[in-house]
Amino acid sequence: MKLNRQDWQRLALPLTALLVALVFAVGIVAYALAYRDEVGQRLQQQQSQLMQARSRLLSSDQERENIIRYLPVYQRLISQGFIGEEHRIEWVDALRNTHQSQRLFGIKYGIGAQAAYQPGFVGNTAPFTLYRSIMKLELPLLHEGDLLVLLDGLKRNQSTPFLVRDCTMERSGVAVTTMLAPVASVACEIDWLTLRESTPGATP
């Protein structure tokens, strides 16, 4: 079947939209993979620091010296929300601050229950247990770059590590009549990560 000029003209807009969506999808996947590797390295570095701090703090011969040297590192990780109880209020504040500063459309979000987590790219975290809480986000997009702006803003405003698990984008399918109308929407799942000291005999 041959396509005439009118057929190509009708297909021009859908093909362009498809190409833009494919390019954006490739960009999101590349961003997520790169950031996952970065978070994995951060987790391993922080876990190494914690293991060193714990072993040195328990050394009876240098207990006082080790407390003075390593306790600030441990306390810093606690204050950042990486060790201990979750800082959900801070996560939500970071989300709201990014939303307001970047003037994004309204964001819907929800945070699930915390559960033990052992990703393949992180080694043994004993004597600590790694946990995650899944945040689900829904965001209308003025353009595809709004999602990257949101993720970069969360990275800057929140020191607790997180991973982007999955993002699904859908075009609105509605004719755009104003420059300030959303052209698509995106739904994402984000893992917020925390470490807690394992309880002997407890099942994570």
Side-chain angles (χ1 to χ4, degrees), residues 3-4 54 108 123 174:
L3 299 177
N4 56 36
R54 182 174 176 82
K108 295 181 180 179
V174 178

Side-chain angles (χ1 to χ4, degrees), residues 175-201:
V176 178
T177 59
T178 172
M179 294 295 292
L180 297 179
V183 299
S185 62
V186 67
C188 290
E189 292 187 355
I190 295 175
D191 290 337
W192 289 98
L193 306 177
T194 51
L195 272 178
R196 290 212 306 270
E197 189 168 0
S198 303
T199 301

Side-chain angles (χ1 to χ4, degrees), residues 159-172:
S159 55
T160 302
F162 66 88
L163 290 173
V164 180
R165 298 183 65 219
D166 180 67
C167 284
T168 302
M169 186 185 69
E170 294 184 357
R171 298 192 68 82
S172 64

Side-chain angles (χ1 to χ4, degrees), residues 53-110:
R54 182 174 176 82
S55 63
R56 292 177 185 273
L57 287 171
L58 295 177
S59 175
S60 59
D61 292 338
Q62 299 180 347
E63 183 173 352
R64 178 179 175 81
E65 177 183 348
N66 288 332
I67 288 176
I68 294 174
R69 183 176 180 183
Y70 290 102
L71 185 59
V73 176
Y74 190 82
Q75 291 175 331
R76 174 171 56 83
L77 294 176
I78 292 176
S79 67
Q80 290 175 348
F82 182 57
I83 296 178
E85 298 301 321
E86 295 181 312
H87 290 195
R88 294 194 174 201
I89 294 177
E90 284 81 354
W91 302 346
V92 173
D93 286 344
L95 182 65
R96 289 174 176 170
N97 291 337
T98 302
H99 170 263
Q100 293 175 358
S101 64
Q102 300 300 327
R103 298 183 179 180
L104 301 173
F105 287 102
I107 300 176
K108 295 181 180 179
Y109 65 88

Side-chain angles (χ1 to χ4, degrees), residues 91-179:
W91 302 346
V92 173
D93 286 344
L95 182 65
R96 289 174 176 170
N97 291 337
T98 302
H99 170 263
Q100 293 175 358
S101 64
Q102 300 300 327
R103 298 183 179 180
L104 301 173
F105 287 102
I107 300 176
K108 295 181 180 179
Y109 65 88
I111 306 177
Q114 188 184 57
Y117 182 44
Q118 185 59 55
F121 59 89
V122 176
N124 183 16
T125 59
F128 295 88
T129 300
L130 180 64
Y131 291 86
R132 72 174 174 185
S133 294
I134 301 175
M135 175 185 282
K136 295 184 178 181
L137 297 175
E138 295 182 10
L139 174 68
L141 303 175
L142 181 61
H143 54 79
E144 289 84 351
D146 282 350
L147 177 57
L148 297 180
V149 168
L150 175 64
L151 296 177
D152 283 337
L154 283 178
K155 184 178 177 182
R156 288 193 305 270
N157 295 329
Q158 180 53 241
S159 55
T160 302
F162 66 88
L163 290 173
V164 180
R165 298 183 65 219
D166 180 67
C167 284
T168 302
M169 186 185 69
E170 294 184 357
R171 298 192 68 82
S172 64
V174 178
V176 178
T177 59
T178 172
M179 294 295 292

